[in-house]
Amino acid sequence: MRVAILTDETGWHTRQLQQALRARGASGRCVDLADCDIDTSAPGSGLLIPGFGRGLPDAAIVRGVAGGSFEQVTKRLGVLHALEGLGVPVYNGPRAIERCVDKSMTSLLLHAAGVPTPPTWATESEARARRLLMREEAAGRALVMKPLFGSQGKGLARVGRVEGEPVALPPLSRSGGLAYLQRFLPSSPPDDAQAEGFDWRVLVVGGRAIAAMRRVSAHWVHNVAQGARCEPAALEPALAATAEAAAAALQTDYAGVDLMPGPDGRPWVLEVNGVAAWRGLQRVTPFPIAQALVDDLIDRRIGGRSAGLAPVRCA
């Protein structure tokens, strides 16, 4: 079995996946979606995947879709849609990735499914965004302004009533002409600026929460890429159930779900990551996460036992 690992960069994650695939008697080849072409004059499917000749991989794991122009990204996602349409299992599929990468769609689908999540707004109207901010600020609340397609905690800013002081909304021209705003959930006592707060990252694979960690930081942004430290976290029933409901709402094969304690004491979902990294989570998880992903792909999406692939189970 030959699996395409679709990624714009190779490294620790791709090596982990290749090792896990070898343990199941399969091989993984890293392919950049930017290098995949459509050629309807060629024999076969018309889709050219480097390293697979005129054929197609038996499955594809999406590890990264590089940014680019609107046209480039459309073509790269089109390749994923084409693979899926040609019968190749794509993990995660393009629809799931599109739902997760667009934070406004994530918020809308979580809300529609009844998954607890902070009130969220997305608008192209600067006047509406400023009226919203005035209302929230008058109630003593802060909002988090996020890039619609951002990741790793980059580009986040608090506006409204922030630590007792008003913070204005920046011009929407700085954020692509769109305001994506989410009500801020404090994770540490408001009267202790030095207190550490946390959020949870829960990994859901095949519909089941399998691992969790707390990301702890004195800063209000808790991404590992922004310096938060990882601590093991128990998969309490409410935490697991909420993360699983979020992954189901976005119809993901696997997902990294970010949650925080809500004002009602329940875990609330902030974001769902459809191309989730797991290096930090692996440091506090006793079983190999890449193997769990590969096992789910082969056993659930492909049916690997019937193909004679060797079963491997995580401890």
Side-chain angles (χ1 to χ4, degrees):
M1 176 174 288
R2 301 187 306 163
V3 177
I5 302 173
L6 301 172
T7 180
D8 57 317
E9 58 182 36
T10 59
W12 183 87
H13 286 90
T14 54
R15 290 193 297 271
Q16 292 284 304
L17 289 170
Q18 287 172 322
Q19 179 180 339
L21 286 164
R22 286 194 296 271
R24 294 297 304 265
S27 65
R29 183 183 182 93
C30 293
V31 178
D32 192 334
L33 281 166
D35 296 328
C36 299
D37 292 333
I38 292 171
D39 183 356
T40 61
S41 72
S45 67
L47 193 60
L48 302 183
I49 310 296
F52 293 89
R54 295 297 180 185
L56 295 174
D58 297 299
I61 301 173
V62 182
R63 263 304 311 150
V65 180
S69 67
F70 178 77
E71 290 81 2
Q72 288 173 321
V73 173
T74 298
K75 173 258 181 181
R76 292 164 193 170
L77 290 171
V79 169
L80 298 183
H81 281 288
L83 283 169
E84 197 168 61
L86 290 165
V88 177
V90 180
Y91 191 94
N92 274 313
R95 292 294 300 276
I97 290 173
E98 289 166 353
R99 294 182 188 108
C100 293
V101 76
D102 176 354
K103 291 186 178 67
S104 63
M105 183 55 62
T106 297
S107 296
L108 186 64
L109 292 173
L110 291 174
H111 173 73
V115 178
T117 188
T120 304
W121 301 265
T123 179
E124 297 180 46
S125 168
E126 194 153 329
R128 283 196 292 271
R130 294 193 185 282
R131 286 197 298 270
L132 163 68
L133 187 63
M134 290 175 59
R135 187 184 74 202
E136 291 292 296
E137 184 182 325
R141 293 190 286 256
L143 301 175
V144 180
M145 189 170 183
K146 301 182 180 183
L148 193 67
F149 302 124
S151 63
Q152 298 184 327
K154 298 176 182 177
L156 275 61
R158 286 186 296 178
V159 295
R161 183 63 56 174
V162 179
E163 296 175 359
E165 298 295 328
V167 177
L169 185 81
L172 298 195
S173 58
R174 299 181 187 175
S175 56
L178 177 79
Y180 173 79
L181 298 158
Q182 191 173 70
R183 188 173 290 168
F184 175 66
L185 294 182
S187 62
S188 58
D191 57 348
D192 187 352
Q194 301 303 313
E196 290 189 311
F198 75 94
D199 68 5
W200 291 285
R201 163 60 66 89
V202 177
L203 184 66
V204 180
V205 178
R208 184 171 64 91
I210 66 167
M213 67 176 174
R214 291 185 0 141
R215 302 184 297 189
V216 183
S217 174
H219 194 272
W220 65 274
V221 179
H222 301 118
N223 296 73
V224 175
Q226 301 300 318
R229 71 176 185 272
C230 304
E231 296 181 350
L235 271 171
E236 301 291 347
L239 182 64
T242 304
E244 289 168 358
L250 298 179
Q251 299 180 3
T252 59
D253 289 311
Y254 77 101
V257 184
D258 297 340
L259 310 96
M260 286 183 66
D264 59 0
R266 297 183 298 164
W268 283 26
V269 176
L270 300 180
E271 296 181 12
V272 181
N273 300 275
V275 189
W278 65 87
R279 192 167 189 170
L281 182 58
Q282 185 65 81
R283 293 200 292 265
V284 295
T285 301
F287 59 84
I289 290 171
Q291 196 66 63
L293 297 171
V294 166
D295 286 348
D296 184 54
L297 167 65
I298 291 175
D299 294 339
R300 183 178 59 84
R301 292 294 309 276
I302 302 173
R305 293 195 188 100
S306 62
L309 295 173
V312 172
R313 284 290 169 266
C314 300

